[in-house]
Amino acid sequence: MMLASRIIGPLRCFLRWLPLSVARKIALATLIVGSVPIFFIIVYGIPRLERALMGTTSEVMAAAAAEHNHILGQFLHAGLRQAAQTARYPEVQRFAQRAAADGVSGFGENIEIDRLLSALGSEEPVFFHSACLFLLDHTILASTASAESAGAACDHATRREIFDAALRAGQPAVFHAFGAEGGMEIFFTAPVERDGEFLALLQVAYSARILRHLFLKVNASPLSIPVLTDENGEVIASTLEVDGGRLSSSPGAVDFDLLGIFDPRWDPLPHARELFELRHSLLGVDDWLVSVIRPEETAWSLFYLEPRARVLGPVRSVVNNALWLAGGLTLLLVGGSFLAGNLAARALNRLTRAADVISAGDLSARVDVGGRDEIGRLARAFNDMAHQLRLRTEALRAEHEKAEAASRAKSEFLAVMSHEIRTPLNAVIGYSSFLLSDEKTSVGDRESLRMIEKAGRHLLGMINDMLDFSKIEAGGVELLEEPFSLLETLADAFDHTAPAAWEKGLEIALDIENGVPTEFIGDAQRVRQILVNLIGNGIKFTDKGGVRVALRCGGPARPGHRASDEPGAPAEGALSLDSPAGDDCHSGDQPGMGGIPCFGDAPVETNAVSDWDGGRSAVASSRVKLVIVVEDTGKGINERTRSKLFQPFSQGDGSHTRRYGGTGLGLVISRRLAEAMGGGLTECSDPGGGARFRVALDLPVAEREERDGAQSGTLLGTAPERAAVFSGNDFHRAHLESLLRQAGCEVVEEEGDFSLLVLDRSHPSADAAAPYPAERLPRVPASRVIELVCPLDFGLPSLPGVHSVRLSKPVMVSEIIRAIRETHEKPTQAGTECP
Amino acid sequence: MSGCGRRADERHGVSARDVLGDDSAGVEGSAAHAFLRDAGRAFRGLRLRVLTEDTPPSLACKHLIESEFSRVTGIDVDWQLEPLERVFAKASMDVARGAGNHDLVYLDQSWIARFAPHLESMEPWMERPDLAYPHWDFEDILAPLLEKTATYGGRLIGIPYDITIFIAMYRRDIFDKLGLRPPEDLDAWLEVCREIDKAMAPRVRGTTAQWRVGHYALLCHMSIWLWSHGGSFFRRDGRAGVGDDRAREALAYMMELGKHMPPAVTTWDWHGESQSFARGEAGIYTSWAEFFPVYDDPKLSRIVGQAGAVPLPRERALRPAAECGFGETPGFSHQGGSCMAIPRHARNKEAAWLLLQWVTSADIAVRAGLMGSGASAIRASTFSDPRILARQGEIGPGTTRHFPVMRDAILNRMGTGPHHPEWPAVAMGPLPNELGRLVSGLQGVNETASGMARLLNRQIGA
């Protein structure tokens, strides 16, 4: 199991990784799995089988060699015994004694001796050569051969050597040598003694071919070859006949494997190789197994050879057949599995194609796969699912169309009704205004008319909102494509909302990032509407502090840029327009999800300028993402309110509507308008802080008017100013200091030395002159004071003895710069201009 | 001589019941049964002693005697099965001593001249009406067998008992595989052996032989090449013929064939030769026909159904019998038939004659033939018996597929060795020894031919 899991796990991963079809993967897996047992058989099974077989063969060949050795031993023992017995016959002894004593040769004269000698060859008459009785001086006493043959044999040098060796041995012995006729012969010798006297020598000769005959009798196979060699490696006998009975050597390549050595001190293999370096005629076999045994009686060696192919052939044949069979079966399995996988994959492919068609919107697609198997069931289930999906989709579509129709009808109704209501309402407001402007109207009527006008305008605002909303819902909003000034639009929005702020004692601050384009092409009214909604909301829900509007341009990221890092960043504790990096902006629909990055987050994406340079190089045809962040210091937005922010007719909880009034459509309308302008509106308030909304608008930049360096935001060509700000409102102070820094001034504490005083006289609750440190005024040139006043207070008298430049709040950097320049010029009357 | 027969323990699966005929003596009511029952009454309790070679036909006969002859007649039969050499020795001692130890003896055809003086003539016995076996048709016995296995000196000294004869047997599958045809002459025979050897040696050799050194089988094998080359053992003048050129050519041809034989042929007699062929070690060979059924027996053969029997090829020359001595009749198909004879000193001659007629009857010839490899087919009727014919198309134990070839060999191509009293002595010793030296490589063809001629002239030659 472990082995299987070790194999299957990686195999599964491997197959998953392969970029092949299912059918090919199945076929490949089958091939791999099917090859494992074959590989195992080849690597492990066959060598082990051959080793086992070689072991068995070793035993068998050793037994065969032993059997041949036994046959050889029997022959040798019989020959020695016969020779010894004959030599001990009294007739032979007496004959030898008499001949030795008389010195007379009795060759052929003693019939009894001849009979005894002839009897020596009766057992093997074919291979029996001769039996001779010699005196010690080589004289032939008797022989089975003719006198001539016996004499020739006796004169043969080799026989003389054997004769001498036998005499030296003095006991029955066996020799081999080439005989007088050329063939190898085996000689048995026995001394003839009488009364302890060595009289003669009996010599019996056999052809060595008898050994071949004996070997053949017990040889199991014509391929098994026993070879008997003497101590010099000379072949005495073999069942193999090559070149007239002799094994001839030639430089053939014959390999031997020695299976067993009976005498561990003796290594016959080199000898065997030298001996059997035979040419291919050795039965045409080059690879032999050899077993060697040494007979006890002689110094001969008995080699038993067996062709390796004969031993291993049957097994190899079986193994080869098995491997072929296994290989064939594996290939059949691979083919079968490939076909099966192909069939399955074909069905799956049909399913996949049908799924693609359905996902593309055509719900009529069906799979034509039959069968009762898993794929067939899957196909049927798929078809059922597609059928159900089609039915439900059609039902949903019908419901959707019905709902859209109802919505359009509602919107059209609202639009019509709003129009119909607004027409008489305009008359109400118009006549109220007309009567208010009439000097004949009494004071009491005037108060009533003001209330009528106020209520009418409120009602008109609500109706306008509803009309806008209904138009938006009905898809009837058409945006203008006209050049407009963002600054003018901002000023317009401030004009519209500032009175309410001042009534509540709130500050409205404006922060424009350097280089933000101010000229765009678009619908200024709708931009103003968005700004009024957001600023108005800020004012509406803020009781203390103020509302700040920041403009940024979505250009390429400027590394490390944060608003707080720049000169003029708000002081700690002051209202900050920067949000922490990574703050989430809430779209309302997806609370907590990041939409368009919040103000202060860099970068802001653009779809026009690839290399943003602060807007200076912006061309007319480019588009930028204008980001407007409106934040207040109010009570903020809780989670519950946030979830309803962008829902129509919703205003936080119900108490808000009752307390603050409104239709609850402002944010919805603003968002839809922003979206119509290629952007969006998100809420990204800090927890525990005031509300913060972020508007992103995708607007084309219009040709820009160069305004005498105002856009540069610095006092170019002038000496650095040391300016001090005096304001009773920390929020406003921080804002003014930021503007001054942007204008290139050095902001110092009011107790320090300064050359320019920015005096905030706009705080409604403060006495405009009361906090003014009169003792310091002499230190400042009368013309170097900039007064900031509310538009309503623009008519306030100037400070005594001071020629100041008066600005109406809110102010922008360009106005600050212009005012600073004016303070260097001739003294003017206070309150020169207001943005 | 049917010493070439298989050993007794090599019985195949044909039972006595399988071959029982309507006229069998074992069938009550048959004439044979009635005759044996009536004739046997005079000899009931008698014990006959029979000496035969241990061959399948003899074994079949022994089996049938116990279950049939002895049961019907009440005559006890002591049937001795011995190897050929011991049969010769025992019979020789019996006749030499005149002891009459055996009532019936088995005589190889090569021995009849030696034993003829000690055997009863058959003619007087055949004229005994009281002992005439019913339907024992003497004329039905094949004439060549009567002449060559049972007649010597113009006297019928026995009744033919079995016949085995050389035919050619080959491996049909090998011949088909190699695209060979059974050879029709001696050159083709040698060429076929070469082709098979070339293609399939050493596992399958061209041919095999009964070349056992010093054994009579070697002489039998040599005789067919001697005769087919126009030679003979003796000339008309009684001098040896094996030293002439025809004989030398024959020996040379035989040794050429030896190059395409397994090395161990020099240790095989007819049994070893047959076993080698049954093991599939040779493609074609010639030997005794009685071995053929062995090759269809799955228990004994690896070539079941693959063996085919064909006549031997044409002789290169054939010396007429008239030019040969001592009744020698050259013919390619050496016959090894035998006869059963009654020694003159036998103690129970009448009962022996009764048994001899039963053993050589047509029914027993067929039944022993089916049970004993067909070697008992001594009668013409044997070859036409329905039981024989029924098995000619079958492959399996007891097949008679080779019978037509065997019959043709008997009638047309039979060769018979010399009939001389001294022939057994030289044929079973000195001559095979000389040939043994030849096939062992100890001496050459000329030396062997000369040695054989010298031997024959010294011991037999006129």
Side-chain angles (χ1 to χ4, degrees):
Chain A
M1 289 300 290
M2 288 288 289
L3 182 63
S5 63
R6 284 183 182 179
I7 294 173
I8 291 173
L11 178 61
R12 191 184 299 163
C13 295
F14 173 69
L15 289 175
R16 278 183 189 161
W17 173 78
L18 276 181
L20 296 176
S21 66
V22 172
R24 288 178 181 173
K25 283 182 179 179
I26 292 174
L28 182 61
T30 308
L31 179 63
I32 293 172
V33 172
S35 301
V36 167
I38 296 176
F39 179 77
F40 184 77
I41 289 173
I42 292 173
V43 172
Y44 180 74
I46 294 176
R48 182 172 180 175
L49 182 64
E50 289 191 352
R51 281 197 299 275
L53 193 61
M54 291 289 277
T56 306
T57 302
S58 175
E59 294 174 3
V60 171
M61 287 185 65
E67 188 174 0
H68 284 81
N69 187 47
H70 177 68
I71 291 286
L72 177 66
Q74 279 187 325
F75 169 71
L76 296 178
H77 286 142
L80 287 171
R81 187 175 63 251
Q82 283 184 339
Q85 281 179 347
T86 304
R88 283 198 297 269
Y89 283 149
E91 298 89 338
V92 175
Q93 291 175 348
R94 278 196 300 271
F95 178 71
Q97 188 179 37
R98 189 170 58 251
D102 298 344
V104 179
S105 170
F107 187 85
E109 298 176 356
N110 194 314
I111 297 175
E112 183 64 18
I113 296 301
D114 290 343
R115 187 187 61 79
L116 288 173
L117 294 182
S118 297
L120 286 169
S122 61
E123 289 291 323
E124 294 290 349
V126 172
F127 303 99
F128 176 75
H129 270 186
S130 63
C132 293
L133 191 62
F134 295 92
L135 285 176
L136 301 184
D137 60 356
H138 296 180
T139 303
I140 302 174
L141 289 180
S143 174
T144 57
S146 63
E148 295 78 17
S149 299
C154 188
D155 291 338
H156 194 266
T158 306
R159 286 207 168 184
R160 283 180 173 275
E161 291 176 8
I162 292 173
F163 186 88
D164 295 338
L167 286 180
R168 287 194 297 272
Q171 57 185 353
V174 58
F175 301 92
H176 72 283
F178 284 104
E181 297 172 358
M184 182 71 78
E185 289 181 307
I186 307 295
F187 298 95
F188 297 96
T189 62
V192 179
E193 298 172 319
R194 187 177 176 86
D195 300 331
E197 184 184 1
F198 199 154
L199 300 173
L201 185 72
L202 177 62
Q203 187 185 72
V204 184
Y206 287 90
S207 167
R209 302 284 290 179
I210 191 173
L211 299 177
R212 177 177 188 269
H213 183 68
L214 295 175
F215 289 158
L216 283 172
K217 274 185 176 179
V218 297
N219 211 31
S221 161
L223 293 176
S224 303
I225 303 172
V227 180
L228 182 68
T229 66
D230 63 11
E231 63 275 17
N232 299 317
E234 195 73 40
V235 175
I236 300 173
S238 169
T239 58
L240 179 68
E241 284 197 272
V242 181
D243 287 351
R246 289 168 184 267
L247 297 172
S248 63
S249 65
S250 68
V254 183
D255 293 328
F256 290 91
D257 270 356
L258 188 64
L259 287 178
I261 302 174
F262 295 84
D263 183 353
R265 296 166 299 181
W266 177 57
D267 180 11
L269 204 53
H271 177 56
R273 287 206 179 91
E274 182 184 353
L275 179 62
F276 298 107
E277 284 289 326
L278 306 177
R279 64 168 177 252
H280 207 66
S281 60
L282 194 65
L283 296 182
V285 180
D286 291 334
D287 198 359
W288 294 84
L289 304 175
V290 57
S291 185
V292 187
I293 193 168
R294 302 191 78 171
E296 293 178 357
E297 294 81 1
T298 66
W300 298 343
S301 301
L302 180 61
F303 294 83
Y304 192 81
L305 292 95
E306 185 96 18
R308 181 191 291 272
R310 173 180 157 78
V311 177
L312 300 179
V315 173
R316 283 180 176 165
S317 175
V318 170
V319 168
N320 286 340
N321 289 339
L323 287 176
W324 276 110
L325 183 63
L329 284 176
T330 302
L331 289 179
L332 279 177
L333 281 175
V334 168
S337 60
F338 180 75
L339 289 176
N342 229 347
L343 287 174
R346 196 178 298 169
L348 291 175
N349 285 337
R350 283 190 214 160
L351 279 169
T352 305
R353 281 196 296 272
D356 289 342
V357 171
I358 288 174
S359 65
D362 183 3
L363 299 180
S364 63
R366 296 291 183 272
V367 186
D368 182 19
V369 176
R372 297 174 177 274
D373 53 10
E374 292 84 348
I375 294 177
R377 289 200 296 273
L378 175 63
R380 284 192 289 277
F382 181 86
N383 287 340
D384 291 345
M385 184 185 70
H387 180 66
Q388 292 295 328
L389 184 62
R390 183 178 185 179
L391 292 179
R392 293 183 186 184
T393 303
E394 287 174 352
L396 284 174
R397 186 177 295 152
E399 291 296 326
H400 180 67
E401 288 173 354
K402 199 184 293 181
E404 281 192 339
S407 178
R408 276 195 303 274
K410 180 190 73 177
S411 299
E412 287 171 3
F413 171 76
L414 283 174
V416 171
M417 290 304 294
S418 299
H419 178 75
E420 293 301 326
I421 292 171
R422 198 165 60 170
T423 302
L425 195 55
N426 281 333
V428 171
I429 296 171
Y431 281 110
S432 301
S433 300
F434 173 75
L435 290 174
L436 277 172
S437 62
D438 190 354
E439 293 178 351
K440 297 176 181 176
T441 304
S442 63
V443 175
D445 292 340
R446 195 177 294 273
E447 188 61 28
S448 300
L449 286 172
R450 279 200 190 93
M451 292 180 66
I452 291 171
E453 186 190 23
K454 186 178 180 182
R457 289 190 184 280
H458 179 70
L459 184 57
L460 181 61
M462 291 178 63
I463 289 172
N464 283 341
D465 283 351
M466 291 179 67
L467 187 59
D468 286 342
F469 181 71
S470 62
K471 281 184 179 176
I472 290 169
E473 286 292 294
V477 175
E478 292 180 359
L479 298 176
L480 297 175
E481 297 281 341
E482 294 175 348
F484 71 96
S485 169
L486 181 61
L487 296 178
E488 290 174 1
T489 305
L490 272 171
D492 196 14
F494 284 155
D495 285 345
H496 191 79
T497 55
W502 291 325
E503 284 178 5
K504 296 177 73 174
L506 300 176
E507 293 293 338
I508 298 179
L510 178 63
D511 183 7
I512 302 177
E513 188 186 47
N514 282 347
V516 174
T518 56
E519 304 297 326
F520 294 95
I521 294 174
D523 194 329
Q525 274 304 114
R526 293 304 184 183
V527 175
R528 173 186 171 279
Q529 187 177 356
I530 293 171
L531 291 170
V532 167
N533 274 335
L534 294 177
I535 296 170
N537 277 349
I539 294 169
K540 189 189 292 182
F541 296 107
T542 302
D543 296 330
K544 184 180 179 183
V547 178
R548 181 174 182 182
V549 179
L551 298 184
R552 297 288 186 268
C553 187
R558 284 167 289 176
H561 169 77
R562 288 179 64 88
S564 57
D565 296 337
E566 296 174 355
E572 191 174 350
L575 182 65
S576 172
L577 296 183
D578 295 339
S579 64
D583 266 0
D584 290 337
C585 290
H586 306 288
S587 64
D589 297 332
Q590 294 173 302
M593 292 295 290
I596 299 172
C598 292
F599 174 64
D601 290 346
V604 181
E605 72 271 19
T606 177
N607 58 356
V609 183
S610 60
D611 189 11
W612 180 253
D613 59 355
R616 291 187 182 86
S617 62
V619 292
S621 59
S622 65
R623 301 176 72 91
V624 296
K625 183 145 292 188
L626 177 65
V627 178
I628 304 169
V629 177
V630 179
E631 61 180 343
D632 59 49
T633 56
K635 63 178 184 179
I637 301 170
N638 58 34
E639 286 299 320
R640 185 179 173 189
T641 305
R642 180 175 289 135
S643 65
K644 299 179 179 178
L645 274 181
F646 295 97
Q647 292 180 5
F649 307 105
S650 172
Q651 207 175 55
D653 55 24
S655 62
H656 285 182
T657 307
R658 289 188 297 274
R659 181 178 173 187
Y660 299 108
T663 58
L665 290 173
L667 285 177
V668 180
I669 292 171
S670 299
R671 167 180 268 197
R672 298 291 172 87
L673 290 174
E675 289 172 350
M677 285 183 243
L681 170 61
T682 54
E683 182 272 328
C684 46
S685 306
D686 291 332
R692 181 190 294 158
F693 289 91
R694 180 177 183 276
V695 182
L697 301 175
D698 186 8
L699 294 173
V701 179
E703 286 292 345
R704 191 175 43 184
E705 287 184 26
E706 288 299 332
R707 294 189 182 179
D708 58 353
Q711 281 303 109
S712 65
T714 59
L715 293 167
L716 298 175
T718 61
E721 293 283 356
R722 290 174 60 83
V725 176
F726 184 83
S727 174
N729 184 289
D730 290 339
F731 167 74
H732 206 184
R733 179 200 297 276
H735 176 58
L736 287 173
E737 288 177 352
S738 173
L739 292 176
L740 287 168
R741 288 191 183 93
Q742 290 179 48
C745 298
E746 181 184 357
V747 179
V748 300
E749 295 298 326
E750 54 192 75
E751 292 82 6
D753 294 331
F754 52 84
S755 58
L756 175 67
L757 177 65
V758 179
L759 182 62
D760 181 12
R761 300 184 65 191
S762 64
H763 202 275
S765 59
D767 182 350
Y772 192 82
E775 65 276 14
R776 288 194 176 182
L777 288 178
R779 295 172 53 196
V780 181
S783 59
R784 305 304 311 283
V785 175
I786 298 174
E787 290 182 272
L788 297 178
V789 297
C790 292
L792 295 176
D793 300 330
F794 210 76
L796 284 174
S798 298
L799 291 172
V802 174
H803 296 286
S804 63
V805 177
R806 182 171 289 181
L807 294 177
S808 174
K809 291 171 69 176
V811 295
M812 291 178 287
V813 175
S814 58
E815 293 169 326
I816 292 285
I817 294 170
R818 192 159 51 239
I820 293 172
R821 286 174 178 163
E822 286 182 10
T823 59
H824 285 287
E825 298 169 356
K826 62 181 181 180
T828 59
Q829 295 296 318
T832 52
E833 65 180 274
C834 183
Chain B
M1 172 348 266
S2 64
C4 47
R6 286 187 294 140
R7 283 191 288 264
D9 56 353
E10 294 177 356
R11 295 183 58 194
H12 53 67
V14 181
S15 68
R17 181 181 295 275
D18 292 337
V19 297
L20 195 65
D22 295 338
D23 296 332
S24 297
V27 177
E28 289 191 20
S30 65
H33 184 272
F35 167 73
L36 288 178
R37 183 190 59 208
D38 297 340
R41 286 198 182 101
F43 313 108
R44 186 172 294 275
L46 198 69
R47 183 181 183 84
L48 286 175
R49 303 188 66 181
V50 181
L51 176 65
T52 67
E53 187 188 1
D54 183 5
T55 63
S58 296
L59 186 66
C61 287
K62 183 180 181 182
H63 178 71
L64 291 172
I65 282 172
E66 291 171 355
S67 62
E68 196 169 302
F69 181 83
S70 295
R71 182 174 58 82
V72 175
T73 61
I75 300 172
D76 189 20
V77 178
D78 177 14
W79 192 288
Q80 299 173 42
L81 297 171
E82 298 285 356
L84 183 66
E85 297 81 2
R86 296 194 64 178
V87 172
F88 180 76
K90 280 189 171 185
S92 297
M93 288 181 65
D94 195 16
V95 298
R97 291 164 56 191
N101 289 333
H102 299 97
D103 300 304
L104 272 178
V105 292
Y106 170 99
L107 296 177
D108 184 84
Q109 55 85 25
S110 62
W111 304 345
I112 58 175
R114 181 184 183 95
F115 287 95
H118 310 288
L119 302 174
E120 287 281 319
S121 293
M122 291 294 104
E123 290 87 349
W125 290 101
M126 287 191 290
E127 293 170 0
R128 287 278 299 267
D130 55 327
L131 296 178
Y133 195 89
H135 311 302
W136 192 81
D137 184 3
F138 179 75
E139 300 300 325
D140 185 39
I141 298 174
L142 293 170
L145 300 184
L146 282 171
E147 180 187 353
K148 295 298 181 183
T149 67
T151 302
Y152 183 73
R155 191 166 63 93
L156 188 65
I157 48 96
I159 303 298
Y161 169 67
D162 69 6
I163 175 62
T164 186
I165 192 167
F166 268 67
I167 60 172
M169 291 167 275
Y170 72 106
R171 290 277 298 279
R172 291 188 298 192
D173 55 335
I174 292 176
F175 273 60
D176 290 343
K177 178 182 174 183
L178 301 180
L180 302 174
R181 295 173 55 194
E184 295 180 352
D185 57 39
L186 292 180
D187 293 334
W189 183 280
L190 183 58
E191 188 57 31
V192 160
C193 294
R194 281 193 185 123
E195 289 293 323
I196 296 171
D197 217 27
K198 183 180 177 184
M200 306 183 77
R203 297 190 182 281
V204 178
R205 304 301 302 269
T207 186
T208 184
Q210 48 188 45
W211 272 19
R212 183 170 174 177
V213 171
H215 195 273
Y216 178 55
L218 177 56
L219 184 68
C220 293
H221 192 263
M222 187 278 284
S223 68
I224 65 168
W225 307 118
L226 175 69
W227 289 332
S228 63
H229 279 78
S232 62
F233 288 101
F234 289 100
R235 307 299 297 262
R236 185 170 53 186
D237 58 2
R239 301 291 294 175
V242 290
D244 63 12
D245 291 341
R246 300 284 178 86
R248 293 170 198 270
E249 287 175 17
L251 291 177
Y253 182 88
M254 188 177 83
M255 292 308 293
E256 190 64 27
L257 283 177
K259 294 178 181 176
H260 310 297
M261 296 176 186
V265 290
T266 56
T267 66
W268 295 341
D269 60 7
W270 38 70
H271 295 298
E273 173 197 48
S274 171
Q275 288 163 8
S276 73
F277 192 72
R279 288 194 299 267
E281 293 176 357
I284 188 170
Y285 87 121
T286 173
S287 187
W288 312 109
E290 67 174 344
F291 287 111
F292 187 84
V294 172
Y295 309 133
D296 276 0
D297 189 342
K299 294 179 181 175
L300 305 171
S301 170
R302 295 181 187 169
I303 56 168
V304 173
Q306 302 297 344
V310 289
L312 284 163
R314 284 190 307 274
E315 299 86 351
R316 192 162 284 165
L318 198 60
R319 182 169 289 167
E323 295 182 11
C324 304
F326 309 116
E328 181 182 2
T329 306
F332 211 150
S333 290
H334 181 116
Q335 62 101 351
S338 66
C339 67
M340 291 280 267
I342 303 172
R344 283 186 173 168
H345 299 288
R347 297 171 186 170
N348 304 294
K349 294 178 184 174
E350 290 182 333
W353 173 240
L354 206 61
L355 176 61
L356 181 55
Q357 290 180 92
W358 177 83
V359 164
T360 57
S361 67
D363 178 61
I364 295 300
V366 170
R367 295 167 70 187
L370 290 172
M371 296 171 65
S373 305
S376 59
I378 57 169
R379 293 172 173 269
S381 61
T382 309
F383 293 95
S384 58
D385 189 277
R387 289 167 288 181
I388 296 291
L389 295 176
R391 291 185 179 268
Q392 279 192 6
E394 293 182 1
I395 293 174
T399 184
T400 57
R401 289 196 289 136
H402 59 300
F403 265 45
V405 176
M406 190 173 75
R407 181 173 181 274
D408 174 69
I410 294 171
L411 296 178
N412 303 313
R413 309 191 66 186
M414 194 170 78
T416 303
H419 287 165
H420 187 278
E422 292 301 317
W423 175 252
V426 293
M428 298 181 73
L431 287 181
N433 288 342
E434 282 296 325
L435 288 170
R437 293 188 186 95
L438 173 68
V439 298
S440 297
L442 294 173
Q443 62 188 22
V445 166
N446 293 331
E447 194 177 358
T448 302
S450 301
M452 290 172 67
R454 194 163 48 245
L455 267 170
L456 289 177
N457 287 330
R458 187 170 64 202
Q459 297 200 27
I460 298 177

